[in-house]
Amino acid sequence: DQQVKQNSPSLSVQEGRISILNCDYTNSMFDYFLWYKKYPAEGPTFLISISSIKDKNEDGRFTVFLNKSAKHLSLHIVPSQPGDSAVYFCAATYNFNKFYFGSGTKLNVKP
Amino acid sequence: NAGVTQTPKFQVLKTGQSMTLQCAQDMNHEYMSWYRQDPGMGLRLIHYSVGAGITDQGEVPNGYNVSRSTTEDFPLRLLSAAPSQTSVYFCASWGGGAGNTEAFFGQGTRLTVV
């Protein structure tokens, strides 16, 4: 059973608008969460992360929010750009030995 | 800096054949892992290692073997390939611990078993 879930396989937004990608997890032991971005024919690349002791982390256009009580995190991209079009994976860990990944959300930013 | 290097990039196998997917990293990372990516399934963990000589199973280990004789290398062996192992395989490495949680991925190996 997947411990990290991304229920939206795809998302389409207009350039300049906000993109919100969602992720849910079931294991309450997870204490560190990450987002990765993946372009076709490439490996995933790290985007942003958040520790469970925080509820928000910001890096330029990217902000990750964590709601521990709901076991939910989201990635906000503002403003969205066509170059942001990619598959986004959320991941979680509780001992840094291994990461559990969601199924991914394909973001399409339309010019 | 090469980062994580996977070879080969593409491979076609016949059912029952064996092969080894190579993964090497030059960042002196203790932690390494293998994932497979399938449509709708995301990245699923096959095996992982927390240091040379130490490996453990992930979520989908059946049909795969690993070893970690050096810090740099973490090969994945398919003992008897099956069509269900058709997938894209990614190797990752990271330093581990707070402040070293970013995993670096290789470019992937696309494997087709016919």
Side-chain angles (χ1 to χ4, degrees), chain A residues 65-82:
Chain A
F65 295 91
L66 175 63
N67 183 334
K68 283 181 289 184
S69 61
K71 294 191 178 67
H72 177 84
L73 66 155
S74 61
L75 174 68
H76 292 211
I77 307 174
V78 183
S80 302
Q81 299 174 353

PDB file of all heavy atoms in Angstrom, chain A residues 65-82:
ATOM      1  N   PHE A  65       4.084  23.709   1.788  1.00  0.00           N
ATOM      2  CA  PHE A  65       3.317  23.818   3.015  1.00  0.00           C
ATOM      3  C   PHE A  65       3.092  22.419   3.573  1.00  0.00           C
ATOM      4  O   PHE A  65       2.801  21.488   2.822  1.00  0.00           O
ATOM      5  CB  PHE A  65       1.964  24.477   2.741  1.00  0.00           C
ATOM      6  CG  PHE A  65       2.049  25.900   2.291  1.00  0.00           C
ATOM      7  CD1 PHE A  65       2.117  26.211   0.928  1.00  0.00           C
ATOM      8  CD2 PHE A  65       2.069  26.941   3.207  1.00  0.00           C
ATOM      9  CE1 PHE A  65       2.191  27.524   0.500  1.00  0.00           C
ATOM     10  CE2 PHE A  65       2.146  28.262   2.780  1.00  0.00           C
ATOM     11  CZ  PHE A  65       2.204  28.551   1.428  1.00  0.00           C
ATOM     12  N   LEU A  66       3.194  22.307   4.889  1.00  0.00           N
ATOM     13  CA  LEU A  66       2.975  21.017   5.544  1.00  0.00           C
ATOM     14  C   LEU A  66       1.888  21.155   6.593  1.00  0.00           C
ATOM     15  O   LEU A  66       1.965  22.028   7.471  1.00  0.00           O
ATOM     16  CB  LEU A  66       4.275  20.526   6.190  1.00  0.00           C
ATOM     17  CG  LEU A  66       4.183  19.243   7.009  1.00  0.00           C
ATOM     18  CD1 LEU A  66       3.775  18.056   6.134  1.00  0.00           C
ATOM     19  CD2 LEU A  66       5.512  18.948   7.705  1.00  0.00           C
ATOM     20  N   ASN A  67       0.894  20.296   6.518  1.00  0.00           N
ATOM     21  CA  ASN A  67      -0.170  20.215   7.509  1.00  0.00           C
ATOM     22  C   ASN A  67      -0.094  18.828   8.136  1.00  0.00           C
ATOM     23  O   ASN A  67      -0.609  17.853   7.601  1.00  0.00           O
ATOM     24  CB  ASN A  67      -1.540  20.451   6.858  1.00  0.00           C
ATOM     25  CG  ASN A  67      -2.674  20.444   7.866  1.00  0.00           C
ATOM     26  OD1 ASN A  67      -2.589  19.834   8.926  1.00  0.00           O
ATOM     27  ND2 ASN A  67      -3.752  21.116   7.521  1.00  0.00           N
ATOM     28  N   LYS A  68       0.576  18.755   9.284  1.00  0.00           N
ATOM     29  CA  LYS A  68       0.828  17.447   9.899  1.00  0.00           C
ATOM     30  C   LYS A  68      -0.445  16.785  10.383  1.00  0.00           C
ATOM     31  O   LYS A  68      -0.595  15.563  10.296  1.00  0.00           O
ATOM     32  CB  LYS A  68       1.819  17.597  11.042  1.00  0.00           C
ATOM     33  CG  LYS A  68       3.258  17.754  10.599  1.00  0.00           C
ATOM     34  CD  LYS A  68       4.175  17.867  11.784  1.00  0.00           C
ATOM     35  CE  LYS A  68       3.986  19.197  12.464  1.00  0.00           C
ATOM     36  NZ  LYS A  68       4.900  19.434  13.588  1.00  0.00           N
ATOM     37  N   SER A  69      -1.365  17.567  10.909  1.00  0.00           N
ATOM     38  CA  SER A  69      -2.592  16.967  11.436  1.00  0.00           C
ATOM     39  C   SER A  69      -3.390  16.311  10.330  1.00  0.00           C
ATOM     40  O   SER A  69      -4.051  15.298  10.534  1.00  0.00           O
ATOM     41  CB  SER A  69      -3.427  18.017  12.167  1.00  0.00           C
ATOM     42  OG  SER A  69      -3.795  19.058  11.288  1.00  0.00           O
ATOM     43  N   ALA A  70      -3.333  16.890   9.138  1.00  0.00           N
ATOM     44  CA  ALA A  70      -4.052  16.323   7.989  1.00  0.00           C
ATOM     45  C   ALA A  70      -3.180  15.367   7.193  1.00  0.00           C
ATOM     46  O   ALA A  70      -3.658  14.761   6.222  1.00  0.00           O
ATOM     47  CB  ALA A  70      -4.547  17.439   7.078  1.00  0.00           C
ATOM     48  N   LYS A  71      -1.903  15.250   7.556  1.00  0.00           N
ATOM     49  CA  LYS A  71      -0.947  14.440   6.805  1.00  0.00           C
ATOM     50  C   LYS A  71      -0.980  14.842   5.323  1.00  0.00           C
ATOM     51  O   LYS A  71      -1.152  14.007   4.414  1.00  0.00           O
ATOM     52  CB  LYS A  71      -1.221  12.947   6.961  1.00  0.00           C
ATOM     53  CG  LYS A  71      -1.006  12.430   8.366  1.00  0.00           C
ATOM     54  CD  LYS A  71      -1.031  10.904   8.383  1.00  0.00           C
ATOM     55  CE  LYS A  71      -0.776  10.340   9.749  1.00  0.00           C
ATOM     56  NZ  LYS A  71      -1.855  10.629  10.709  1.00  0.00           N
ATOM     57  N   HIS A  72      -0.788  16.120   5.105  1.00  0.00           N
ATOM     58  CA  HIS A  72      -0.922  16.685   3.766  1.00  0.00           C
ATOM     59  C   HIS A  72       0.157  17.731   3.538  1.00  0.00           C
ATOM     60  O   HIS A  72       0.473  18.528   4.421  1.00  0.00           O
ATOM     61  CB  HIS A  72      -2.308  17.327   3.616  1.00  0.00           C
ATOM     62  CG  HIS A  72      -2.516  17.996   2.303  1.00  0.00           C
ATOM     63  ND1 HIS A  72      -2.911  17.319   1.168  1.00  0.00           N
ATOM     64  CD2 HIS A  72      -2.379  19.301   1.937  1.00  0.00           C
ATOM     65  CE1 HIS A  72      -2.998  18.166   0.162  1.00  0.00           C
ATOM     66  NE2 HIS A  72      -2.685  19.365   0.596  1.00  0.00           N
ATOM     67  N   LEU A  73       0.734  17.690   2.362  1.00  0.00           N
ATOM     68  CA  LEU A  73       1.630  18.770   1.979  1.00  0.00           C
ATOM     69  C   LEU A  73       1.309  19.222   0.562  1.00  0.00           C
ATOM     70  O   LEU A  73       0.686  18.478  -0.210  1.00  0.00           O
ATOM     71  CB  LEU A  73       3.112  18.383   2.117  1.00  0.00           C
ATOM     72  CG  LEU A  73       3.735  17.316   1.245  1.00  0.00           C
ATOM     73  CD1 LEU A  73       5.228  17.554   1.138  1.00  0.00           C
ATOM     74  CD2 LEU A  73       3.523  15.956   1.879  1.00  0.00           C
ATOM     75  N   SER A  74       1.669  20.455   0.290  1.00  0.00           N
ATOM     76  CA  SER A  74       1.402  21.001  -1.032  1.00  0.00           C
ATOM     77  C   SER A  74       2.596  21.835  -1.496  1.00  0.00           C
ATOM     78  O   SER A  74       3.352  22.370  -0.687  1.00  0.00           O
ATOM     79  CB  SER A  74       0.124  21.843  -1.030  1.00  0.00           C
ATOM     80  OG  SER A  74       0.252  22.929  -0.138  1.00  0.00           O
ATOM     81  N   LEU A  75       2.744  21.891  -2.792  1.00  0.00           N
ATOM     82  CA  LEU A  75       3.794  22.698  -3.430  1.00  0.00           C
ATOM     83  C   LEU A  75       3.103  23.780  -4.237  1.00  0.00           C
ATOM     84  O   LEU A  75       2.253  23.486  -5.074  1.00  0.00           O
ATOM     85  CB  LEU A  75       4.646  21.827  -4.350  1.00  0.00           C
ATOM     86  CG  LEU A  75       5.690  22.561  -5.188  1.00  0.00           C
ATOM     87  CD1 LEU A  75       6.796  23.118  -4.299  1.00  0.00           C
ATOM     88  CD2 LEU A  75       6.283  21.629  -6.249  1.00  0.00           C
ATOM     89  N   HIS A  76       3.458  25.034  -3.938  1.00  0.00           N
ATOM     90  CA  HIS A  76       2.912  26.166  -4.671  1.00  0.00           C
ATOM     91  C   HIS A  76       4.010  26.747  -5.563  1.00  0.00           C
ATOM     92  O   HIS A  76       5.138  26.986  -5.088  1.00  0.00           O
ATOM     93  CB  HIS A  76       2.411  27.250  -3.708  1.00  0.00           C
ATOM     94  CG  HIS A  76       1.211  26.818  -2.926  1.00  0.00           C
ATOM     95  ND1 HIS A  76       0.252  27.714  -2.514  1.00  0.00           N
ATOM     96  CD2 HIS A  76       0.802  25.604  -2.502  1.00  0.00           C
ATOM     97  CE1 HIS A  76      -0.688  27.066  -1.857  1.00  0.00           C
ATOM     98  NE2 HIS A  76      -0.374  25.785  -1.829  1.00  0.00           N
ATOM     99  N   ILE A  77       3.669  26.993  -6.803  1.00  0.00           N
ATOM    100  CA  ILE A  77       4.600  27.621  -7.747  1.00  0.00           C
ATOM    101  C   ILE A  77       3.957  28.922  -8.224  1.00  0.00           C
ATOM    102  O   ILE A  77       2.880  28.897  -8.845  1.00  0.00           O
ATOM    103  CB  ILE A  77       4.888  26.701  -8.951  1.00  0.00           C
ATOM    104  CG1 ILE A  77       5.355  25.322  -8.482  1.00  0.00           C
ATOM    105  CG2 ILE A  77       5.960  27.339  -9.842  1.00  0.00           C
ATOM    106  CD1 ILE A  77       5.516  24.301  -9.606  1.00  0.00           C
ATOM    107  N   VAL A  78       4.610  30.048  -7.877  1.00  0.00           N
ATOM    108  CA  VAL A  78       4.057  31.342  -8.243  1.00  0.00           C
ATOM    109  C   VAL A  78       5.184  32.286  -8.689  1.00  0.00           C
ATOM    110  O   VAL A  78       6.117  32.505  -7.911  1.00  0.00           O
ATOM    111  CB  VAL A  78       3.318  31.999  -7.052  1.00  0.00           C
ATOM    112  CG1 VAL A  78       2.674  33.316  -7.486  1.00  0.00           C
ATOM    113  CG2 VAL A  78       2.274  31.065  -6.472  1.00  0.00           C
ATOM    114  N   PRO A  79       5.104  32.893  -9.872  1.00  0.00           N
ATOM    115  CA  PRO A  79       4.164  32.559 -10.932  1.00  0.00           C
ATOM    116  C   PRO A  79       4.653  31.354 -11.716  1.00  0.00           C
ATOM    117  O   PRO A  79       5.853  31.106 -11.819  1.00  0.00           O
ATOM    118  CB  PRO A  79       4.214  33.822 -11.804  1.00  0.00           C
ATOM    119  CG  PRO A  79       5.626  34.318 -11.645  1.00  0.00           C
ATOM    120  CD  PRO A  79       6.028  33.981 -10.225  1.00  0.00           C
ATOM    121  N   SER A  80       3.741  30.602 -12.281  1.00  0.00           N
ATOM    122  CA  SER A  80       4.117  29.433 -13.080  1.00  0.00           C
ATOM    123  C   SER A  80       4.703  29.872 -14.421  1.00  0.00           C
ATOM    124  O   SER A  80       4.249  30.857 -15.023  1.00  0.00           O
ATOM    125  CB  SER A  80       2.894  28.547 -13.324  1.00  0.00           C
ATOM    126  OG  SER A  80       2.337  28.132 -12.100  1.00  0.00           O
ATOM    127  N   GLN A  81       5.692  29.115 -14.880  1.00  0.00           N
ATOM    128  CA  GLN A  81       6.341  29.408 -16.155  1.00  0.00           C
ATOM    129  C   GLN A  81       6.311  28.161 -17.035  1.00  0.00           C
ATOM    130  O   GLN A  81       6.301  27.039 -16.512  1.00  0.00           O
ATOM    131  CB  GLN A  81       7.797  29.840 -15.915  1.00  0.00           C
ATOM    132  CG  GLN A  81       7.946  31.087 -15.079  1.00  0.00           C
ATOM    133  CD  GLN A  81       9.394  31.399 -14.730  1.00  0.00           C
ATOM    134  OE1 GLN A  81      10.299  30.616 -15.004  1.00  0.00           O
ATOM    135  NE2 GLN A  81       9.608  32.558 -14.110  1.00  0.00           N
ATOM    136  N   PRO A  82       6.339  28.324 -18.339  1.00  0.00           N
ATOM    137  CA  PRO A  82       6.320  27.140 -19.222  1.00  0.00           C
ATOM    138  C   PRO A  82       7.439  26.149 -18.915  1.00  0.00           C
ATOM    139  O   PRO A  82       7.251  24.943 -19.040  1.00  0.00           O
ATOM    140  CB  PRO A  82       6.473  27.756 -20.616  1.00  0.00           C
ATOM    141  CG  PRO A  82       5.852  29.112 -20.491  1.00  0.00           C
ATOM    142  CD  PRO A  82       6.223  29.575 -19.100  1.00  0.00           C
TER     143      PRO A  82
END
